[in-house]
């Protein structure tokens, strides 16, 4: 165990695990698996895409072989449009060919798409096999890899098909961000800003004090690890309180309700998930101002920080009635009422489930 690694416990009652954050920790994946009880001879299916595998696939496979595991690498196409049943079928077919058993392991090596697909494939193969998440994007490091949410998209909406399936381990190596495209890095900053708004005002203040948070090359390693650690800890604490989103875990959807509408109506791939969430946060911030829940000054602070991160803040050109229709397809709609997580102050939010179409129309007209 590397003493320089940072360990965050996700102390769930039935499926506890750790988030391990450390530079060059990818090289020790075999040792980390031994630390949590896996033994030699274990069959391991590593799922990745070409862009990630070209950089880190060999490192992972060599570490697994050194620890006497039996790894197989599966490469699938990159992109949000791959979050579909065809990808699940492909993984299941390879799992069958590799004779994966219930005690076997799948490893997701990549961003949120790879994590979601691999997690869902693991949840549904043999009614559930082990999965380890190794996120290589900033967004996946602080959000998608933690908490056990897995799934694929439906033609009518994002993540409508899925399951909760907690990983056995989340291994975060900040070094992988070096090869991350600049746009993807910025998209990940949206989720970090989200944590500042919903639960960690000190993180929000820390980000505000930085001269540049839109470019990895301008962020010192110590600061990078600190914001990843704080964000991952925020996510872990919420998941511990509410594993399957029956209460406070809904706070993690801050900005996502509007964000998913943007992704759905603009077409997956037009905007990255983090970019859509950034615009969604600005929109729901306006809705909160409209309701008198938080001050205009806080909404402006949030928007400035989003723009400082190099993220889009202006609502895209969408027909308001199409937005309202899309909102009705959201997973969190109850009795026809749309729920929104809205800010009360920096570091504090609350879920409201009585938002009328009239209020949403007024909000969208102001920001369009």
């Amino acid at each position: 165990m590397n003493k320089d690694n940072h360990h965050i416990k996700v102390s769930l009652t039935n499926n506890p695990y750790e988030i391990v954050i450390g530079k060059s920790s990818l090289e020790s994946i075999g040792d980390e698996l031994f630390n949590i009880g896996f033994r030699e001879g274990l069959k391991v299916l590593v799922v990745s895409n070409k862009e990630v595998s070209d950089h880190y696939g060999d490192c992972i496979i060599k570490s697994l072989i050194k620890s006497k595991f039996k790894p197989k690498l599966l490469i699938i196409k990159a992109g949000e449009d791959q979050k579909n049943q065809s990808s699940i079928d492909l993984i299941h077919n390879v799992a069958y060919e590799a004779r994966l058993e219930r005690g076997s392991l799948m490893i997701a090596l990549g961003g949120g798409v790879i994590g979601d697909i691999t997690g869902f494939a693991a949840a549904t193969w043999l009614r559930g096999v082990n999965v380890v998440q190794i996120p290589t994007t900033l967004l996946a490091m602080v959000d998608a890899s933690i908490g056990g949410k897995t799934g694929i998209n439906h033609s009518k909406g994002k993540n409508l098909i899925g399951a909760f399936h907690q990983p056995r381990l989340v291994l975060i190596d900040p070094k992988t961000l070096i090869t991350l495209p600049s746009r993807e890095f910025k998209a990940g900053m949206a989720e970090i800003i989200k944590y500042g708004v919903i639960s960690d005002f000190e993180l929000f203040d820390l980000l505000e004090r930085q001269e540049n948070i839109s470019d990895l090359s301008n962020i010192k390693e110590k600061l990078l690890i600190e914001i990843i650690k704080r964000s991952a800890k925020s996510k872990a604490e919420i998941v511990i309180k509410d594993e399957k989103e029956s209460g406070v875990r809904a706070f993690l959807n801050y900005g996502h309700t509007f964000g998913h509408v943007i992704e759905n109506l603009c077409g997956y791939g037009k905007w990255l998930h983090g970019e859509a969430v950034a615009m969604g946060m600005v929109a729901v911030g306006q809705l909160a101002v409209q309701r008198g829940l938080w001050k205009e000054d806080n909404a402006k602070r949030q928007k400035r920080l989003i723009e400082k991160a190099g993220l889009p803040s202006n609502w895209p050109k969408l027909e308001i009635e199409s937005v309202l229709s899309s909102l009705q397809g959201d997973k969190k709609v109850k009795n026809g009422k749309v729920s929104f997580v809205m800010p009360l102050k920096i570091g504090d939010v609350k879920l409201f489930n009585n938002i009328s179409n009239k209020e949403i129309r007024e909000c969208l007209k102001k920001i369009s």
Side-chain angles (χ1 to χ4, degrees), residues 79-359:
E80 182 74 24
D81 59 350
Q82 298 304 307
K83 283 182 63 172
N84 55 42
Q85 188 59 46
S86 295
S87 294
I88 301 301
D89 290 343
L90 175 59
I91 297 173
H92 284 169
N93 288 340
V94 175
Y96 179 80
E97 293 166 4
R99 295 294 189 265
L100 257 63
E101 303 160 355
R102 281 189 173 171
S104 299
L105 171 67
M106 291 187 191
I107 293 179
L109 174 64
V113 171
I114 288 290
D116 279 356
I117 294 171
T118 308
F120 186 50
T124 49
W125 184 248
L126 301 178
R127 297 188 175 92
V129 297
N130 299 300
V131 66
V132 164
Q133 296 281 350
I134 304 181
T136 58
T137 67
L138 184 59
L139 190 149
M141 288 176 181
V142 300
D143 185 62
S145 65
I146 305 166
K149 271 190 177 182
T150 71
I152 55 177
N153 298 330
H154 185 273
S155 60
K156 299 300 182 183
K158 186 177 172 70
N159 295 330
L160 292 181
I161 304 167
F164 285 97
H165 190 57
Q166 297 295 343
R168 291 291 305 276
L169 170 73
V170 177
L171 184 67
I172 298 173
D173 188 343
K175 190 173 70 173
T176 62
L177 297 177
I178 295 171
T179 54
L180 186 68
S182 175
R183 186 181 175 193
E184 292 272 4
F185 180 81
K186 293 172 186 175
M189 288 303 304
E191 294 287 351
I192 291 171
I193 293 169
K194 177 194 77 174
Y195 289 118
V197 176
I198 69 172
S199 64
D200 190 349
F201 69 90
E202 291 180 353
L203 173 60
F204 193 95
D205 287 345
L206 177 64
L207 295 172
E208 278 190 313
R209 293 197 302 271
Q210 305 309 311
E211 288 186 16
N212 188 319
I213 57 171
S214 67
D215 189 340
L216 178 63
S217 63
N218 290 316
I219 298 177
K220 293 181 179 179
E221 183 181 303
K222 185 177 179 181
L223 173 63
L224 178 65
I225 290 177
E226 178 66 16
I227 62 178
I228 291 174
K229 187 172 68 173
R230 291 191 77 109
S231 300
K233 187 177 180 183
S234 290
K235 176 77 180 271
E237 288 174 349
I238 290 174
V239 169
I240 291 166
K241 292 176 185 175
D242 180 18
E243 182 179 357
K244 295 191 175 179
E245 202 173 303
S246 57
V248 295
R249 186 163 178 169
F251 294 170
L252 295 169
N253 293 315
Y254 179 67
H256 286 59
T257 303
F258 275 132
H260 287 167
V261 168
I262 293 170
E263 289 180 282
N264 192 25
L265 294 182
C266 292
Y268 297 121
K270 167 69 174 176
W271 297 104
L272 296 178
H273 176 66
E275 293 170 338
V277 168
M279 291 182 278
M281 287 194 289
V282 173
V284 80
Q286 173 59 41
L287 195 58
V289 170
Q290 204 171 286
R291 277 204 154 203
L293 297 173
W294 79 336
K295 297 177 181 178
E296 180 78 37
D297 180 59
N298 283 332
K300 289 179 179 178
R301 284 179 66 192
Q302 176 184 250
K303 187 174 183 181
R304 281 196 301 269
L305 188 56
I306 285 169
E307 291 171 345
K308 188 179 189 178
L311 289 159
S313 61
N314 295 322
W315 186 256
K317 292 182 179 180
L318 296 170
E319 290 186 1
I320 290 179
E321 294 310 309
S322 296
V323 172
L324 294 173
S325 177
S326 183
L327 284 170
Q328 284 300 316
D330 190 270
K331 300 186 299 296
K332 297 168 287 297
V333 169
K334 291 184 179 179
N335 300 319
K337 293 285 186 180
V338 181
S339 298
F340 282 97
V341 178
M342 288 196 273
L344 307 179
K345 59 183 179 181
I346 303 295
D348 188 20
V349 294
K350 184 178 178 181
L351 181 66
F352 293 82
N353 55 16
N354 59 345
I355 314 303
S356 68
N357 283 350
K358 181 180 178 182
E359 289 178 272

